[in-house]
């Protein structure tokens, strides 16, 4: 089934799939995010942008590459996708090089640009180095990710470490001295590097104008080029790939309580939760800070009952692990993990498992709008609620979509590293201003 101007996004986690798909939705494209490839069928009418969440960020490189290759083939065979986009993490976590090369092989494109900058979120690339609000990513919370830590900020080196010695020569870069000159010089440099055999070409970008010039250079190039980047590059591509720009219809939402589940331990998430807790304009909030014993003991029915009892009208219940880092810095908590033989990586998995089970049990007792924080938390909670796909229905913020899942539940997902201190407050206030009065 061939669809004109159809777009296929392949992502390694759910929040990344969602924020990138949102960029095309905001240009008027009917957009869905697929969590289960078994739901990829022709009954999804009028979908123009597909985003596959493969959840491969923490997978073994060989397995991640194979899954990406098969995902692209599936999209090509079922929907005749015209444009492909490889979503990568803007802090370079995951199997970036392997997955991008696998997508190149499946699409049969000549090379990929690697542009992980997301200027709107304070993530820029300069001299090949990735900075988050002016700080090298190796000095940010990304460096402390329990499953995919970052130890370097120089993107070419990050990519090369994900490849064999023989494949290291496939990496090239175009720095700001060329990017600043505009699309023509960028295209000439792209052609030159690709002719030399480069397959992964890192692009500097410090502004949205840089993305626009990179996109124009892709069009001018004599080669078929795969865009690989964050939602920032996707935003620039939307106006080029979609023939008709249609402003989305503003969404009205039912008056329902909100359940916030956060498995993110980043300092930014902690600040966002604290800001929500302290906001005097938002009433009827109930915060539950999980401790290590909660995670180790599993979900207790008394907690489920307590949460369900508070999920009434427009109330907000927030369950989070923002205080867990401080607890783990203490000797008795760290010793308990050692005694139990639990690594930091295993603890992160237990946290997401806990929150997924909690979501499943609460759903049996109450209706709510689900707000999840953290990529793996978002995926595991969605799967626990038997979600096969998400349909983007509105933009809450430029990087945060409102979605409806395959069971007609409203869902909001947010990366633990995205936004400002007020982002969670802004999400909650969005619902206050979009209530269906009927």
């Amino acid at each position: 089934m061939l669809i004109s101007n159809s777009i296929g996004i392949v992502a390694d986690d759910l929040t990344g799939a969602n924020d990138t798909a949102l960029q095309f939705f905001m240009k008027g494209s009917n957009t869905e995010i697929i969590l289960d490839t078994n739901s990829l069928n022709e009954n999804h009418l009028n979908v123009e942008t597909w985003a596959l969440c493969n959840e491969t960020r923490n997978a073994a490189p060989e397995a991640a590459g194979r899954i990406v290759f098969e995902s692209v083939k599936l999209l090509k065979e079922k929907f005749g996708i015209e444009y492909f986009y490889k979503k990568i993490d803007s802090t370079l976590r995951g199997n970036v090089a392997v997955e991008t090369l696998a997508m190149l092989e499946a699409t049969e494109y000549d090379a990929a640009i690697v542009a992980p900058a997301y200027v709107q979120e304070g993530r820029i690339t300069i001299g090949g180095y990735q900075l988050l609000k002016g700080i090298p990513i190796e000095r940010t919370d990304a460096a402390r990710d329990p499953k995919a830590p970052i130890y370097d900020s120089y993107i070419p080196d990050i990519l090369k470490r994900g490849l064999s010695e023989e494949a290291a020569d496939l990496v090239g870069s175009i720095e700001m001295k060329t990017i600043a000159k505009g699309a023509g010089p960028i295209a000439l440099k792209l052609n030159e590097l690709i002719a030399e055999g480069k397959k992964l070409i890192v692009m500097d970008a410090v502004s949205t104008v840089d993305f626009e010039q990179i996109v124009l250079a892709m069009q001018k190039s004599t080669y078929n080029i795969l865009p690989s980047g964050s939602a920032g590059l996707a935003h620039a591509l939307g106006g080029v790939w979609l023939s008709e720009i249609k402003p989305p219809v503003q969404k009205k939402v039912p008056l329902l309580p909100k359940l916030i589940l956060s498995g993110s331990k980043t300092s930014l998430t902690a600040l966002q939760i604290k800001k929500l807790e302290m906001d005097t304009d938002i009433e009827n909030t109930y915060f539950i800070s999980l401790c290590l014993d909660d995670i180790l003991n599993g979900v207790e029915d008394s907690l489920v009952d307590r949460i369900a009892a508070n999920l009434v009208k427009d109330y907000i219940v927030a369950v989070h692990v923002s205080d867990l880092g401080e607890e783990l810095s203490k000797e008795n908590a760290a010793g308990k993990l050692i005694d139990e033989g639990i690594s930091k990586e295993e603890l992160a998995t237990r946290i997401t498992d806990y929150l997924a089970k909690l979501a499943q049990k609460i759903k049996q007792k109450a209706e709510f709008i689900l707000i999840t924080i953290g990529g793996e938390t978002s995926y595991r909670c969605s799967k626990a609620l038997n979600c096969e796909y998400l349909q983007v229905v509105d933009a809450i913020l430029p990087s945060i979509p409102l979605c409806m899942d395959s069971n007609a539940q409203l869902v909001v997902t947010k990366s633990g590293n995205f936004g400002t201190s007020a982002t969670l407050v802004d999400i909650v206030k969005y619902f206050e201003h979009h209530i269906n009065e009927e």
Side-chain angles (χ1 to χ4, degrees):
M1 186 176 93
L2 184 61
I3 305 174
S4 176
N5 288 349
S6 57
I7 296 166
I9 302 164
V10 177
D12 69 350
D13 86 329
L14 183 55
T15 54
N18 289 357
D19 64 47
T20 302
L22 177 62
Q23 308 312 308
F24 299 104
F25 170 83
M26 289 192 293
K27 300 294 185 181
S29 178
N30 292 324
T31 304
E32 285 190 7
I33 299 95
I34 306 299
L35 286 75
D36 183 351
T37 54
N38 292 325
S39 71
L40 266 177
N41 58 62
E42 296 182 6
N43 293 328
H44 297 239
L45 299 177
N46 302 318
V47 176
E48 298 160 319
T49 298
W50 304 87
L52 286 190
C53 169
N54 286 323
E55 202 63 14
T56 52
R57 177 165 299 173
N58 303 313
E62 185 178 346
R66 183 178 64 254
I67 291 168
V68 167
F69 182 88
E70 291 171 354
S71 295
V72 175
K73 289 294 187 184
L74 186 64
L75 284 171
K76 287 174 72 173
E77 291 166 7
K78 276 191 171 287
F79 303 110
I81 296 296
E82 187 172 357
Y83 302 110
F84 280 97
Y85 190 86
K86 179 65 184 83
K87 166 62 174 71
I88 61 174
D89 178 47
S90 57
T91 57
L92 283 302
R93 292 170 297 170
N95 299 292
V96 176
V98 169
E99 291 193 15
T100 305
L101 285 177
M103 196 157 175
L104 270 181
E105 183 182 358
T107 57
E108 299 179 344
Y109 285 11
D110 298 302
I113 60 169
V114 179
Y118 194 178
V119 177
Q120 298 91 325
E121 287 287 330
R123 294 144 197 249
I124 66 169
T125 309
I126 186 74
Y129 286 85
Q130 191 73 351
L131 307 180
L132 172 53
K133 297 179 181 176
I135 300 172
I137 54 173
E138 64 195 275
R139 297 181 187 169
T140 68
D141 280 333
R144 295 180 287 278
D145 187 297
K147 293 189 176 181
I150 290 293
Y151 303 110
D152 198 351
S153 305
Y154 187 56
I155 300 171
D157 283 353
I158 294 172
L159 297 179
K160 288 175 183 178
R161 270 200 299 276
L163 301 171
S164 63
E165 277 189 42
E166 299 77 25
D169 286 341
L170 300 178
V171 179
S173 61
I174 300 180
E175 297 188 356
M176 187 51 62
K177 63 182 179 181
T178 301
I179 301 290
K181 290 181 170 64
I186 297 171
L188 288 173
K189 188 64 175 177
L190 272 173
N191 291 343
E192 177 187 323
L193 290 172
I194 297 170
E196 293 173 2
K198 304 302 182 186
K199 294 290 186 182
L200 304 175
I201 302 171
V202 179
M203 312 293 283
D204 276 4
V206 298
S207 72
T208 55
V209 173
D210 295 332
F211 286 132
E212 292 165 2
Q213 294 305 306
I214 290 168
V215 169
L216 286 173
M218 287 174 55
Q219 293 177 290
K220 289 176 176 287
S221 173
T222 54
Y223 294 96
N224 291 323
I225 298 174
L226 172 70
S228 176
S230 69
L233 178 62
H235 180 77
L237 281 164
V240 176
W241 282 355
L242 298 169
S243 57
E244 182 183 355
I245 307 301
K246 301 167 290 185
V249 178
Q250 192 176 59
K251 180 73 176 177
K252 293 292 184 181
V253 298
L255 181 63
L256 286 171
K258 288 83 186 170
L259 174 62
I260 301 171
L261 298 178
S262 174
S264 168
K265 299 196 297 296
T266 67
S267 56
L268 178 57
T269 296
L271 185 59
Q272 290 167 345
I273 288 172
K274 181 59 67 176
K275 191 89 169 177
L276 178 62
E277 193 171 4
M278 301 298 292
D279 194 294
T280 55
D281 293 331
I282 298 174
E283 300 177 341
N284 303 322
T285 55
Y286 182 43
F287 292 82
I288 298 172
S289 178
L290 297 174
C291 66
L292 181 59
D293 282 343
D294 292 325
I295 304 301
L296 296 182
N297 294 336
V299 177
E300 296 182 353
D301 290 340
S302 58
L303 176 62
V304 175
D305 291 339
R306 186 157 37 110
I307 292 172
N310 282 276
L311 286 172
V312 295
K313 298 181 181 178
D314 59 346
Y315 285 30
I316 300 162
V317 178
V319 184
H320 64 91
V321 293
S322 292
D323 299 324
L324 197 54
E326 183 179 349
E327 182 184 358
L328 292 173
S329 68
K330 297 176 181 177
E331 188 175 340
N332 60 337
K336 186 177 292 185
L337 285 182
I338 293 171
D339 292 342
E340 296 280 345
I342 300 172
S343 66
K344 288 184 179 180
E345 183 176 347
E346 290 166 344
L347 178 61
T349 298
R350 288 205 183 196
I351 290 170
T352 53
D353 287 347
Y354 181 97
L355 292 173
K357 188 67 174 178
L358 184 63
Q360 188 179 55
K361 287 194 168 190
I362 295 171
K363 185 63 178 176
Q364 295 169 0
K365 294 177 175 287
E367 291 296 318
F368 50 83
I369 294 170
L370 178 63
I371 302 170
T372 55
I373 304 176
E376 195 167 353
T377 298
S378 298
Y379 180 82
R380 293 282 289 110
C381 289
S382 295
K383 293 294 285 184
L385 298 181
N386 299 315
C387 172
E388 294 180 347
Y389 62 87
L390 298 168
Q391 180 183 17
V392 181
V393 295
D394 203 2
I396 295 178
L397 292 168
S399 62
I400 300 176
L402 173 65
C403 297
M404 181 174 288
D405 75 7
S406 51
N407 303 304
Q409 170 155 334
L410 290 173
V411 178
V412 181
T413 64
K414 191 191 82 66
S415 166
N417 284 307
F418 267 18
T420 67
S421 62
T423 294
L424 201 49
V425 171
D426 291 339
I427 292 172
V428 170
K429 288 188 174 179
Y430 164 90
F431 290 104
E432 292 180 358
H433 297 132
H434 291 77
I435 296 172
N436 189 346
E437 302 292 348
E438 295 181 4

